[in-house]
Amino acid sequence: MADAHVTEDDPTIEAAADARRAAALGAIRQYGDPVLKGRAREVDAFDDQLRRELDAMGMLMHDAQGVGLAANQVGTLHRVLVYAVDGGEGPVRKLVNPTIAWRSDDVEVGPEGCLSLPRISVDVERHVFLAVRAKDEDGRDIEVEASGFEARIIQHEMDHLDGILILDRTSRDQRKRALRELRARAQA
């Protein structure tokens, strides 16, 4: 329950959210970290440790104000990802050992950002529709049929599990621009 005297425009709430986001981004591996280029390994133990890992990833994603997070981004080479379609505020979906069962021929180019490349946005071509087979956190088989933004999020996070970043999927010009921005920030 929210305090009736507090509004969303309250600077205290905004400052707390900014602090949580900064702390979360500090816990997420950033561009240049070699784990981001590693290929994640299949999970075979569906236990409390896996459930804790997925729950922690979901909380970290929310605190970072993201809509998806792959295990590589937290330094673990497990083949797991979490995402939430509704601006990161909706329920967290958890996919273990995801594989694409089907993807449409229809593709679209759209802007993407990444918690491992904060404040960078590049255009990436993605399939509009797809079906993903995975396991849930208890090892049960699940299938997700996704389109639009949800399909984009899943493809982005699955790329992470294969060591692929958005910079690997964009045009040469956009990659150069993004790398210049990253270098400028590192020098500032």
Side-chain angles (χ1 to χ4, degrees), residues 132-175:
V132 175
R133 288 191 186 110
K135 303 273 187 192
D136 68 9
E137 61 191 324
D138 296 313
R140 292 183 296 251
D141 291 332
I142 57 174
E143 187 164 318
V144 176
E145 292 183 6
S147 63
F149 187 53
E150 181 178 15
R152 181 171 290 279
I153 295 169
I154 292 169
Q155 290 170 87
H156 177 110
E157 300 311 329
M158 286 184 70
D159 271 356
H160 274 299
L161 299 178
D162 292 326
I164 299 168
L165 301 173
I166 57 176
L167 297 179
D168 302 321
R169 294 251 187 231
T170 195
S171 70
R172 185 171 186 245
D173 289 341
Q174 286 198 32
R175 183 173 34 258

Side-chain angles (χ1 to χ4, degrees), residues 22-37:
L25 287 173
I28 294 171
R29 302 296 178 99
Q30 298 300 303
Y31 177 75
D33 189 313
V35 75
L36 293 174
K37 296 304 277 180

Side-chain angles (χ1 to χ4, degrees), residues 8 23 25 30 56 61 66-67 73-74 92 101 103-104 108-109 113-114 118 124 145 153 155 164 167 169 174 177 188:
E8 289 186 11
L25 287 173
Q30 298 300 303
M61 176 192 69
V67 294
Q73 293 178 277
V74 294
V92 174
R103 52 183 126 216
S104 68
E108 69 181 11
V109 175
C114 181
V124 178
E145 292 183 6
I153 295 169
Q155 290 170 87
I164 299 168
L167 297 179
R169 294 251 187 231
Q174 286 198 32
R177 177 192 49 81

Side-chain angles (χ1 to χ4, degrees), residues 49-175:
Q49 182 176 340
L50 176 65
R51 285 184 278 285
R52 282 192 300 273
E53 178 182 349
L54 289 164
D55 289 344
M57 287 174 59
M59 288 188 298
L60 188 62
M61 176 192 69
H62 278 306
D63 286 350
Q65 299 171 6
V67 294
L69 191 67
N72 306 51
Q73 293 178 277
V74 294
T76 306
L77 287 175
H78 293 157
R79 207 152 183 82
V80 300
L81 64 89
V82 297
Y83 72 97
V85 177
D86 301 326
E89 297 300 320
V92 174
R93 300 282 317 253
K94 302 167 184 177
L95 302 180
V96 180
N97 300 334
T99 59
I100 294 179
W102 172 86
R103 52 183 126 216
S104 68
D105 291 334
D106 298 334
V107 295
E108 69 181 11
V109 175
E112 286 186 28
C114 181
L115 294 173
S116 293
L117 297 145
R119 299 186 316 257
I120 296 291
S121 178
V122 296
D123 291 331
V124 178
E125 181 178 272
R126 299 285 186 192
H127 295 273
V128 178
F129 304 98
L130 58 90
V132 175
R133 288 191 186 110
K135 303 273 187 192
D136 68 9
E137 61 191 324
D138 296 313
R140 292 183 296 251
D141 291 332
I142 57 174
E143 187 164 318
V144 176
E145 292 183 6
S147 63
F149 187 53
E150 181 178 15
R152 181 171 290 279
I153 295 169
I154 292 169
Q155 290 170 87
H156 177 110
E157 300 311 329
M158 286 184 70
D159 271 356
H160 274 299
L161 299 178
D162 292 326
I164 299 168
L165 301 173
I166 57 176
L167 297 179
D168 302 321
R169 294 251 187 231
T170 195
S171 70
R172 185 171 186 245
D173 289 341
Q174 286 198 32
R175 183 173 34 258

Side-chain angles (χ1 to χ4, degrees), residues 1-54:
M1 183 186 293
D3 184 330
H5 301 287
V6 178
T7 68
E8 289 186 11
D9 294 330
D10 186 326
T12 306
I13 292 173
E14 289 178 29
D18 288 346
R20 271 195 321 277
R21 183 167 199 265
L25 287 173
I28 294 171
R29 302 296 178 99
Q30 298 300 303
Y31 177 75
D33 189 313
V35 75
L36 293 174
K37 296 304 277 180
R39 183 167 169 73
R41 294 179 303 275
E42 295 246 334
V43 171
D44 55 11
F46 295 85
D47 55 14
D48 287 340
Q49 182 176 340
L50 176 65
R51 285 184 278 285
R52 282 192 300 273
E53 178 182 349
L54 289 164

